[in-house]
Amino acid sequence: MIQLTKIEKLNDFKRENKKLEFIYKGWEEPNRGLEIVYYSVLINAIDRTQELFSEDKIQCHINEKMETEHPSKNFVFIPYSNCPLVDTLKFNKTTLAVYFRENGNTSRDDLAGSFFYEENHLLMNKRSLVVTNLSTLQKTRIKFENDIDIEWAFFINPKQIQIIQAFSNTCFVYDLEEQKIIDRKNMISESLYPNIFRWIYRGQQYQSNQLQLELIQKKDGQFISTYFKTN
């Protein structure tokens, strides 16, 4: 199990963007229940949307799981269709989207999260990861079987990544050198916390493996939330 400590409330790990800004440009609902929100993208206070995407506005998936700016290097991540990593000096784009070809169909994996490390960017999708070296822009794409539903992932050392699944109590370690899963276990004791519904990512400290997570238990139609931090 991951080493977890129960906490009473969450701390704010969010870092403010200094180079990147998203300007709300409206929304539409093409189908009932499907809401599309549009933004323009400003880099260093200049609108670069048309230059980067050949459009005046783009659909972005902005939430607390999308870290979009490196705190010290000249890179930003745009949570857009092709998942571009952008050099804010040269305005080069590195596309990070992952595709699966299965049963004669091609589909793009659903974006789940983004996080910057000192030397790497980690992109999380529903069932894949992309590690990008920020010095060389070399990408390592890691694909998993369709029973995986990634909530969050983080480096536990330079060669291993801990993956937390969303709608389960399961986590596992992926070894980049061996290119395989090497350890799979429960997140927490189900005798202490039964009726587990899911885990939700609530923040990560930069240059640290310290995460905040919310455990959701469901019993008799009621949901119970408990907050934890990793040690």
Side-chain angles (χ1 to χ4, degrees):
M1 289 180 285
I2 293 178
Q3 294 298 311
L4 296 169
T5 299
K6 184 179 176 181
I7 56 177
E8 295 302 319
K9 63 179 182 179
L10 300 173
N11 294 316
D12 186 6
F13 287 159
K14 184 175 177 58
R15 286 173 283 168
E16 297 298 325
N17 284 355
K18 297 180 180 179
K19 299 182 287 288
L20 180 67
E21 184 179 2
F22 296 97
I23 303 298
Y24 174 74
K25 289 293 184 179
W27 68 281
E28 63 179 353
E29 190 176 6
N31 298 306
R32 176 177 289 184
L34 176 63
E35 183 178 300
I36 298 177
V37 182
Y38 294 99
Y39 299 87
S40 60
V41 177
L42 274 62
I43 298 177
N44 295 324
I46 298 175
D47 192 333
R48 300 285 183 177
T49 317
Q50 184 70 39
E51 176 184 350
L52 290 170
F53 305 107
S54 301
E55 299 180 66
D56 294 327
K57 59 184 180 181
I58 60 172
Q59 179 185 358
C60 288
H61 302 280
I62 302 172
N63 58 42
E64 64 179 4
K65 296 175 68 178
M66 301 298 164
E67 186 177 56
T68 55
E69 181 175 315
H70 196 288
S72 59
K73 296 183 184 295
N74 296 303
F75 286 99
V76 297
F77 171 73
I78 312 295
Y80 175 55
S81 175
N82 289 323
C83 302
L85 186 67
V86 180
D87 183 326
T88 60
L89 294 180
K90 301 176 182 178
F91 297 102
N92 295 332
K93 291 189 298 180
T94 301
T95 299
L96 305 181
V98 174
Y99 293 86
F100 285 91
R101 179 70 178 175
E102 297 171 323
N103 302 319
N105 299 313
T106 300
S107 61
R108 178 172 56 84
D109 203 4
D110 294 330
L111 180 61
S114 162
F115 197 80
F116 282 100
Y117 292 82
E118 181 62 27
E119 299 298 334
N120 295 292
H121 175 260
L122 179 59
L123 178 75
M124 290 150 274
N125 295 307
K126 182 176 181 180
R127 50 180 287 209
S128 65
L129 303 172
V130 183
V131 180
T132 305
N133 183 297
L134 298 177
S135 297
T136 65
L137 294 181
Q138 179 180 348
K139 296 177 288 187
T140 301
R141 285 187 169 94
I142 305 160
K143 296 182 179 181
F144 300 105
E145 298 299 323
N146 58 14
D147 61 338
I148 299 298
D149 187 352
I150 297 173
E151 171 64 20
W152 194 252
F154 61 98
F155 280 92
I156 54 177
N157 59 55
K159 300 299 181 182
Q160 294 179 332
I161 300 173
Q162 179 81 60
I163 293 99
I164 298 169
Q165 294 209 75
F167 291 93
S168 76
N169 188 37
T170 304
C171 62
F172 59 90
V173 175
Y174 183 86
D175 190 286
L176 291 165
E177 290 187 337
E178 297 186 26
Q179 299 182 21
K180 65 179 183 180
I181 296 171
I182 62 168
D183 191 23
R184 191 188 296 267
K185 58 185 65 175
N186 284 342
M187 285 282 291
I188 202 167
S189 171
E190 294 185 15
S191 62
L192 297 176
Y193 293 92
N195 306 306
I196 291 175
F197 177 65
R198 70 168 300 175
W199 286 91
I200 302 176
Y201 164 81
R202 293 301 187 193
Q204 180 175 350
Q205 181 70 48
Y206 179 60
Q207 294 186 323
S208 166
N209 290 340
Q210 186 178 119
L211 272 70
Q212 296 182 143
L213 299 163
E214 181 180 1
L215 172 64
I216 305 294
Q217 297 166 270
K218 184 179 181 180
K219 184 177 181 181
D220 300 328
Q222 301 294 316
F223 291 98
I224 302 170
S225 289
T226 308
Y227 299 116
F228 294 88
K229 69 176 181 178
T230 57
N231 297 333

